[in-house]
Amino acid sequence: EHSKRLSDLTLGIVCLALSFLFIWINNKYNRSLYAQDYQSSYITTDKQWLGLFFNVYSWATADYFPLFPFISFFFFGAGLAPLLYPKRKSLMPSLDGVWHKPFTVAGRYSLIIYLGLQVVLFALIALVTYIATGTFIF
């Protein structure tokens, strides 16, 4: 029991450290989350694929969330989990386990879904761009 608790706390500390590392990377290379001027502090590059990771000036959509800094929120939550849920018992009331399965699966595998979706969407955009223009976006 003690070694399990220690490994959980170690994993939590590693996740928190990764979270702060990713926030530092974002602050050094990316536009601030709190920036009021949306035209400043973008990475200027001709590599469109960097838009998956950073705010790139040439990318503009209504629901644009690049990997940095938003992955740091995941790691921050994962780092706090051993402290907030040391017994790994949910604070939510017990449910029947049937109707909420799709919601719990999405929550349980959120990082895998998020990163997988990034790769799938990147490949799909690259394929559509190649079909439409005859060139890759790399």
Side-chain angles (χ1 to χ4, degrees), residues 1-51:
E1 179 65 32
H2 178 68
S3 64
K4 177 69 174 151
R5 176 90 170 129
L6 185 62
S7 66
D8 284 350
L9 287 175
T10 304
L11 181 61
I13 290 169
V14 168
C15 286
L16 287 173
L18 284 173
S19 176
F20 289 118
L21 173 69
F22 293 147
I23 289 171
W24 177 81
I25 289 171
N26 180 69
N27 289 338
K28 184 166 176 62
Y29 297 109
N30 209 357
R31 182 174 59 86
S32 169
L33 286 174
Y34 306 107
Q36 298 296 320
D37 180 13
Y38 291 105
Q39 300 300 322
S40 66
S41 301
Y42 283 93
I43 292 176
T44 54
T45 180
D46 60 345
K47 305 292 187 210
Q48 292 290 320
W49 59 270
L50 279 176

Side-chain angles (χ1 to χ4, degrees), residues 14-111:
V14 168
C15 286
L16 287 173
L18 284 173
S19 176
F20 289 118
L21 173 69
F22 293 147
I23 289 171
W24 177 81
I25 289 171
N26 180 69
N27 289 338
K28 184 166 176 62
Y29 297 109
N30 209 357
R31 182 174 59 86
S32 169
L33 286 174
Y34 306 107
Q36 298 296 320
D37 180 13
Y38 291 105
Q39 300 300 322
S40 66
S41 301
Y42 283 93
I43 292 176
T44 54
T45 180
D46 60 345
K47 305 292 187 210
Q48 292 290 320
W49 59 270
L50 279 176
L52 290 172
F53 304 102
F54 298 104
N55 284 311
V56 176
Y57 184 72
S58 58
W59 277 39
T61 66
D63 58 348
Y64 175 51
F65 300 104
L67 192 60
F68 292 105
F70 296 101
I71 196 168
S72 63
F73 301 140
F74 172 84
F75 281 104
F76 189 74
L80 288 179
L83 299 172
L84 299 176
Y85 295 104
K87 295 180 182 177
R88 294 185 176 196
K89 183 174 164 91
S90 176
L91 298 178
M92 300 300 288
S94 179
L95 301 172
D96 62 6
V98 177
W99 66 271
H100 59 83
K101 283 280 190 204
F103 302 107
T104 58
V105 168
R108 187 175 300 123
Y109 300 105
S110 61
L111 181 62

